Amino acid sequence: MTANNASPHQSTSRAVASLKTALRDTYQGFFDITHNSLALLGTLLAVALITLSARADLRQNAEQQLLGWLLERQEALAEDTVYAAEPSAIDRVTAALPAALPKEQANVAYWLSRKYRVAAEPLGALVAEAYEIGARANLDPTLILAVMAVESRFNPFAQSPVGAQGLMQVLTRVHTEKYEDFGGHLAAFDPMSNLRVGVRVLQDCIKRAGSVEGGLRLYVGAVSTDGSWYINKVMSEHLRIQSVAKGKPMQRYVPQARPIPVVAPAAPVVPAPSKPGTELEAEGPAQPSLPAGSLTRS
């Protein structure tokens, strides 16, 4: 009984002793390897320092490589700071996929893109906006697009010598109050804001003139001429865009605008010499009335 009871105890003791021996050997091996590795690393470092001290060319090459690595790191950090990610930037982009538009609008966007060498995506957004605002303003959207094409060739940053700005080339200094709803006069360079203000000015001109042709004359600010050169240009482009939108063949003949009479200033009336004691009543020169829209462009 005594031998049988001692046997499990002896087995446990032997197992514990074996485990301790294994752990001790593992620790000693790790210590030896680490110690030897550090010694080897220190030896290599010492040899490298001695070599660099003796060889000036190697030392200079090593310094250049180290400096290059530090500069690359600095540039990488600077780029991360300057070009920080901005996922919301897409909200500022004026663009729309033409393929997602109705067929009529998509046809117009692709055609204008090819003709004026402008990306189809920004034109898609402008075409969609022209159709939407044209429906509210009771204006043909293809007429609005024709005005944009003639005025700026769809360049939202265009500026004329007299100060007309943006897609619709509206005189910002004259129509500053119209941009107040869009945050101020600098909104003239925002494509959508300029489009909406330009349509509002064009709509007012057409109402005052009583016709599209007369409205275009007021819009361009023609005072001393009938504006037929501008009217014909816009109406020709209007009919071309209209044909593209409806999928019809392009019109080769475009009717020319009828001349619009221009009121010339009346010649001053020179009173006849009067006799002594006689009084003459002479009317002054007639004052010409300028078109209401002459302040649009000139």
Side-chain angles (χ1 to χ4, degrees), residues 4 12 30 57 61 92 113 267 272:
N4 292 336
T12 303
F30 177 78
D57 55 339
N61 188 23
R92 301 197 303 267
S113 174

Side-chain angles (χ1 to χ4, degrees), residues 115-238:
K115 180 175 181 180
Y116 293 96
R117 298 182 180 181
V118 179
E121 290 79 8
L123 277 174
L126 295 177
V127 169
E129 181 68 15
Y131 270 78
E132 182 178 347
I133 196 172
R136 295 199 302 266
N138 198 25
L139 287 177
D140 192 328
T142 57
L143 175 65
I144 299 172
L145 293 168
V147 171
M148 274 191 283
V150 172
E151 290 287 354
S152 66
R153 299 183 65 88
F154 299 101
N155 178 8
F157 308 122
Q159 178 164 310
S160 73
V162 297
Q165 297 174 327
L167 285 174
M168 299 286 283
Q169 288 290 281
V170 178
L171 275 178
T172 305
R173 66 175 183 273
V174 175
H175 300 282
T176 303
E177 76 286 351
K178 292 183 175 63
Y179 285 106
E180 291 179 358
D181 293 337
F182 302 96
H185 67 279
L186 290 179
F189 298 106
D190 171 60
M192 293 301 182
S193 301
N194 189 283
L195 170 57
R196 293 164 186 166
V197 171
V199 169
R200 181 178 173 185
V201 175
L202 178 61
Q203 184 184 33
D204 292 343
C205 291
I206 293 175
K207 286 182 179 179
R208 288 199 296 268
S211 66
V212 172
E213 290 81 0
L216 290 173
R217 176 174 176 258
L218 296 183
Y219 188 85
V220 77
V223 178
S224 58
T225 66
D226 61 3
S228 58
W229 60 273
Y230 178 79
I231 298 171
N232 291 331
K233 197 171 183 179
V234 172
M235 294 304 293
S236 298
E237 190 68 1
H238 166 46

Side-chain angles (χ1 to χ4, degrees), residues 5 30 41 52-53 57 61 67 70 76-77 100 151 180 259:
N5 291 336
F30 177 78
L41 182 60
L52 292 176
S53 300
D57 55 339
N61 188 23
L67 180 60
L70 292 175
L77 292 174
E151 290 287 354
E180 291 179 358

